[in-house]
Amino acid sequence: LRMIDSEGFAGRYDFIYYPIDFRTHAALGYAFLNLTTPEDAEAFRHRIDGFQRWRIPSSKICSVSWSNPHQGFESHVARYRNSPLMHESVPDEYRPAVFSAGQRIPFPAPTKRIKPPRQGTERMLV
């Protein structure tokens, strides 16, 4: 989020999910980010597509694309609110996060009992 904020998008997103492998604790190399307006989404794509000024040395180049089939805050929340990622055994840094006016807020409550993740979680706390 530090990079996104430093590029001028602080307070302009309301959802992020940055998948991390439970076993290796390494990022999977992509994220789902919902910008709050279509204009912010276009500005983000224009500014960040091709980004390569990472804080740590890397040859990776950022590529921005629209998420399918999930678009918009409500769709992303609906996708993850009952997900095993939201189970109490999963550390917060592995979970999607929601924001309002640039501040993190509690994720909407699940609508059903959440099952624990099937595999890999035994190493999350190591």
Side-chain angles (χ1 to χ4, degrees):
L1 294 178
R2 191 175 309 142
M3 182 277 284
I4 294 167
D5 290 350
S6 71
E7 290 296 319
F9 294 93
R12 296 168 69 181
Y13 52 88
D14 54 15
F15 174 92
I16 189 165
Y17 174 47
Y18 187 59
I20 298 173
D21 185 286
F22 288 165
R23 293 180 188 200
T24 66
H25 307 288
L28 298 181
Y30 59 93
F32 297 95
L33 180 71
N34 190 69
L35 283 294
T36 56
T37 69
E39 294 80 17
D40 287 339
E42 279 296 335
F44 183 84
R45 186 174 75 157
H46 178 75
R47 174 87 176 180
I48 303 300
D49 194 52
F51 182 91
Q52 54 188 9
R53 298 181 319 276
W54 307 108
R55 293 180 67 222
I56 58 172
S58 174
S59 62
K60 295 189 178 186
I61 300 171
C62 187
S63 175
V64 177
S65 62
W66 305 132
S67 175
N68 283 315
H70 304 288
Q71 283 288 318
F73 179 82
E74 291 82 11
S75 180
H76 286 294
V77 167
R79 162 67 182 91
Y80 291 104
R81 77 184 321 160
N82 295 314
S83 166
L85 283 170
M86 303 309 286
H87 188 266
E88 63 187 18
S89 67
V90 177
D92 189 58
E93 58 268 20
Y94 288 77
R95 298 178 182 193
V98 293
F99 299 82
S100 178
Q103 299 297 312
R104 187 165 180 189
I105 60 173
F107 205 90
T111 59
K112 62 183 183 179
R113 184 178 162 270
I114 297 177
K115 297 178 183 178
R118 287 187 292 231
Q119 64 180 9
T121 56
E122 65 277 358
R123 291 190 182 170
M124 282 192 297
L125 302 176
V126 174

PDB file of all heavy atoms in Angstrom, residues 68-82:
ATOM      1  N   ASN A  68     -11.819 -10.074 -13.792  1.00  0.00           N
ATOM      2  CA  ASN A  68     -13.037 -10.747 -14.245  1.00  0.00           C
ATOM      3  C   ASN A  68     -13.204 -12.011 -13.441  1.00  0.00           C
ATOM      4  O   ASN A  68     -12.235 -12.730 -13.245  1.00  0.00           O
ATOM      5  CB  ASN A  68     -12.942 -11.098 -15.732  1.00  0.00           C
ATOM      6  CG  ASN A  68     -13.173  -9.896 -16.613  1.00  0.00           C
ATOM      7  OD1 ASN A  68     -14.082  -9.126 -16.378  1.00  0.00           O
ATOM      8  ND2 ASN A  68     -12.326  -9.738 -17.605  1.00  0.00           N
ATOM      9  N   PRO A  69     -14.349 -12.341 -12.933  1.00  0.00           N
ATOM     10  CA  PRO A  69     -15.621 -11.651 -13.139  1.00  0.00           C
ATOM     11  C   PRO A  69     -15.923 -10.587 -12.094  1.00  0.00           C
ATOM     12  O   PRO A  69     -16.973  -9.954 -12.137  1.00  0.00           O
ATOM     13  CB  PRO A  69     -16.629 -12.783 -13.029  1.00  0.00           C
ATOM     14  CG  PRO A  69     -16.046 -13.686 -11.994  1.00  0.00           C
ATOM     15  CD  PRO A  69     -14.540 -13.619 -12.226  1.00  0.00           C
ATOM     16  N   HIS A  70     -15.043 -10.369 -11.118  1.00  0.00           N
ATOM     17  CA  HIS A  70     -15.341  -9.463 -10.002  1.00  0.00           C
ATOM     18  C   HIS A  70     -14.909  -8.034 -10.304  1.00  0.00           C
ATOM     19  O   HIS A  70     -13.731  -7.766 -10.538  1.00  0.00           O
ATOM     20  CB  HIS A  70     -14.680  -9.970  -8.719  1.00  0.00           C
ATOM     21  CG  HIS A  70     -15.081 -11.369  -8.386  1.00  0.00           C
ATOM     22  ND1 HIS A  70     -16.335 -11.684  -7.915  1.00  0.00           N
ATOM     23  CD2 HIS A  70     -14.422 -12.535  -8.492  1.00  0.00           C
ATOM     24  CE1 HIS A  70     -16.431 -12.981  -7.741  1.00  0.00           C
ATOM     25  NE2 HIS A  70     -15.275 -13.523  -8.089  1.00  0.00           N
ATOM     26  N   GLN A  71     -15.882  -7.130 -10.278  1.00  0.00           N
ATOM     27  CA  GLN A  71     -15.644  -5.700 -10.460  1.00  0.00           C
ATOM     28  C   GLN A  71     -16.435  -4.964  -9.390  1.00  0.00           C
ATOM     29  O   GLN A  71     -17.608  -5.251  -9.167  1.00  0.00           O
ATOM     30  CB  GLN A  71     -16.120  -5.234 -11.833  1.00  0.00           C
ATOM     31  CG  GLN A  71     -15.199  -5.588 -12.958  1.00  0.00           C
ATOM     32  CD  GLN A  71     -13.935  -4.743 -12.931  1.00  0.00           C
ATOM     33  OE1 GLN A  71     -13.961  -3.550 -12.690  1.00  0.00           O
ATOM     34  NE2 GLN A  71     -12.812  -5.381 -13.182  1.00  0.00           N
ATOM     35  N   GLY A  72     -15.804  -4.030  -8.717  1.00  0.00           N
ATOM     36  CA  GLY A  72     -16.493  -3.206  -7.730  1.00  0.00           C
ATOM     37  C   GLY A  72     -16.378  -3.733  -6.322  1.00  0.00           C
ATOM     38  O   GLY A  72     -16.139  -4.920  -6.077  1.00  0.00           O
ATOM     39  N   PHE A  73     -16.536  -2.815  -5.384  1.00  0.00           N
ATOM     40  CA  PHE A  73     -16.404  -3.116  -3.967  1.00  0.00           C
ATOM     41  C   PHE A  73     -17.321  -4.255  -3.530  1.00  0.00           C
ATOM     42  O   PHE A  73     -16.876  -5.222  -2.914  1.00  0.00           O
ATOM     43  CB  PHE A  73     -16.699  -1.843  -3.150  1.00  0.00           C
ATOM     44  CG  PHE A  73     -16.606  -2.048  -1.671  1.00  0.00           C
ATOM     45  CD1 PHE A  73     -15.380  -2.025  -1.035  1.00  0.00           C
ATOM     46  CD2 PHE A  73     -17.743  -2.256  -0.908  1.00  0.00           C
ATOM     47  CE1 PHE A  73     -15.275  -2.209   0.340  1.00  0.00           C
ATOM     48  CE2 PHE A  73     -17.659  -2.439   0.462  1.00  0.00           C
ATOM     49  CZ  PHE A  73     -16.428  -2.418   1.087  1.00  0.00           C
ATOM     50  N   GLU A  74     -18.608  -4.150  -3.835  1.00  0.00           N
ATOM     51  CA  GLU A  74     -19.571  -5.152  -3.385  1.00  0.00           C
ATOM     52  C   GLU A  74     -19.233  -6.546  -3.915  1.00  0.00           C
ATOM     53  O   GLU A  74     -19.338  -7.537  -3.200  1.00  0.00           O
ATOM     54  CB  GLU A  74     -20.998  -4.769  -3.792  1.00  0.00           C
ATOM     55  CG  GLU A  74     -21.542  -3.554  -3.066  1.00  0.00           C
ATOM     56  CD  GLU A  74     -21.074  -2.237  -3.675  1.00  0.00           C
ATOM     57  OE1 GLU A  74     -20.496  -2.230  -4.791  1.00  0.00           O
ATOM     58  OE2 GLU A  74     -21.262  -1.202  -3.008  1.00  0.00           O
ATOM     59  N   SER A  75     -18.810  -6.617  -5.157  1.00  0.00           N
ATOM     60  CA  SER A  75     -18.463  -7.903  -5.757  1.00  0.00           C
ATOM     61  C   SER A  75     -17.244  -8.528  -5.073  1.00  0.00           C
ATOM     62  O   SER A  75     -17.227  -9.732  -4.793  1.00  0.00           O
ATOM     63  CB  SER A  75     -18.198  -7.732  -7.257  1.00  0.00           C
ATOM     64  OG  SER A  75     -17.870  -8.971  -7.842  1.00  0.00           O
ATOM     65  N   HIS A  76     -16.231  -7.724  -4.785  1.00  0.00           N
ATOM     66  CA  HIS A  76     -15.039  -8.241  -4.112  1.00  0.00           C
ATOM     67  C   HIS A  76     -15.364  -8.687  -2.685  1.00  0.00           C
ATOM     68  O   HIS A  76     -14.918  -9.745  -2.244  1.00  0.00           O
ATOM     69  CB  HIS A  76     -13.919  -7.203  -4.095  1.00  0.00           C
ATOM     70  CG  HIS A  76     -13.265  -7.019  -5.429  1.00  0.00           C
ATOM     71  ND1 HIS A  76     -12.530  -8.006  -6.046  1.00  0.00           N
ATOM     72  CD2 HIS A  76     -13.240  -5.954  -6.265  1.00  0.00           C
ATOM     73  CE1 HIS A  76     -12.077  -7.556  -7.197  1.00  0.00           C
ATOM     74  NE2 HIS A  76     -12.496  -6.321  -7.361  1.00  0.00           N
ATOM     75  N   VAL A  77     -16.145  -7.903  -1.972  1.00  0.00           N
ATOM     76  CA  VAL A  77     -16.527  -8.274  -0.607  1.00  0.00           C
ATOM     77  C   VAL A  77     -17.341  -9.564  -0.635  1.00  0.00           C
ATOM     78  O   VAL A  77     -17.091 -10.482   0.155  1.00  0.00           O
ATOM     79  CB  VAL A  77     -17.291  -7.132   0.093  1.00  0.00           C
ATOM     80  CG1 VAL A  77     -17.965  -7.622   1.378  1.00  0.00           C
ATOM     81  CG2 VAL A  77     -16.341  -5.983   0.397  1.00  0.00           C
ATOM     82  N   ALA A  78     -18.295  -9.660  -1.545  1.00  0.00           N
ATOM     83  CA  ALA A  78     -19.110 -10.876  -1.644  1.00  0.00           C
ATOM     84  C   ALA A  78     -18.234 -12.087  -1.956  1.00  0.00           C
ATOM     85  O   ALA A  78     -18.476 -13.185  -1.432  1.00  0.00           O
ATOM     86  CB  ALA A  78     -20.187 -10.705  -2.715  1.00  0.00           C
ATOM     87  N   ARG A  79     -17.219 -11.910  -2.771  1.00  0.00           N
ATOM     88  CA  ARG A  79     -16.323 -13.011  -3.132  1.00  0.00           C
ATOM     89  C   ARG A  79     -15.547 -13.529  -1.922  1.00  0.00           C
ATOM     90  O   ARG A  79     -15.309 -14.723  -1.788  1.00  0.00           O
ATOM     91  CB  ARG A  79     -15.355 -12.547  -4.228  1.00  0.00           C
ATOM     92  CG  ARG A  79     -14.108 -13.374  -4.442  1.00  0.00           C
ATOM     93  CD  ARG A  79     -14.405 -14.761  -4.994  1.00  0.00           C
ATOM     94  NE  ARG A  79     -13.208 -15.551  -5.155  1.00  0.00           N
ATOM     95  CZ  ARG A  79     -12.702 -16.372  -4.233  1.00  0.00           C
ATOM     96  NH1 ARG A  79     -13.274 -16.483  -3.063  1.00  0.00           N
ATOM     97  NH2 ARG A  79     -11.622 -17.081  -4.487  1.00  0.00           N
ATOM     98  N   TYR A  80     -15.133 -12.646  -1.018  1.00  0.00           N
ATOM     99  CA  TYR A  80     -14.234 -13.047   0.065  1.00  0.00           C
ATOM    100  C   TYR A  80     -14.852 -13.129   1.458  1.00  0.00           C
ATOM    101  O   TYR A  80     -14.260 -13.755   2.342  1.00  0.00           O
ATOM    102  CB  TYR A  80     -13.021 -12.098   0.106  1.00  0.00           C
ATOM    103  CG  TYR A  80     -12.141 -12.286  -1.089  1.00  0.00           C
ATOM    104  CD1 TYR A  80     -12.153 -11.376  -2.134  1.00  0.00           C
ATOM    105  CD2 TYR A  80     -11.316 -13.402  -1.202  1.00  0.00           C
ATOM    106  CE1 TYR A  80     -11.363 -11.564  -3.257  1.00  0.00           C
ATOM    107  CE2 TYR A  80     -10.525 -13.599  -2.320  1.00  0.00           C
ATOM    108  CZ  TYR A  80     -10.553 -12.673  -3.341  1.00  0.00           C
ATOM    109  OH  TYR A  80      -9.771 -12.869  -4.454  1.00  0.00           O
ATOM    110  N   ARG A  81     -16.014 -12.563   1.696  1.00  0.00           N
ATOM    111  CA  ARG A  81     -16.525 -12.502   3.071  1.00  0.00           C
ATOM    112  C   ARG A  81     -16.779 -13.867   3.696  1.00  0.00           C
ATOM    113  O   ARG A  81     -16.668 -14.015   4.917  1.00  0.00           O
ATOM    114  CB  ARG A  81     -17.754 -11.608   3.168  1.00  0.00           C
ATOM    115  CG  ARG A  81     -19.018 -12.244   2.657  1.00  0.00           C
ATOM    116  CD  ARG A  81     -20.233 -11.356   2.648  1.00  0.00           C
ATOM    117  NE  ARG A  81     -20.325 -10.493   3.793  1.00  0.00           N
ATOM    118  CZ  ARG A  81     -21.060  -9.396   3.824  1.00  0.00           C
ATOM    119  NH1 ARG A  81     -21.758  -9.037   2.763  1.00  0.00           N
ATOM    120  NH2 ARG A  81     -21.115  -8.659   4.902  1.00  0.00           N
ATOM    121  N   ASN A  82     -17.091 -14.884   2.906  1.00  0.00           N
ATOM    122  CA  ASN A  82     -17.299 -16.237   3.427  1.00  0.00           C
ATOM    123  C   ASN A  82     -16.171 -17.182   3.027  1.00  0.00           C
ATOM    124  O   ASN A  82     -16.307 -18.399   3.137  1.00  0.00           O
ATOM    125  CB  ASN A  82     -18.644 -16.787   2.945  1.00  0.00           C
ATOM    126  CG  ASN A  82     -19.792 -15.985   3.510  1.00  0.00           C
ATOM    127  OD1 ASN A  82     -19.825 -15.675   4.692  1.00  0.00           O
ATOM    128  ND2 ASN A  82     -20.736 -15.633   2.658  1.00  0.00           N
TER     129      ASN A  82
END
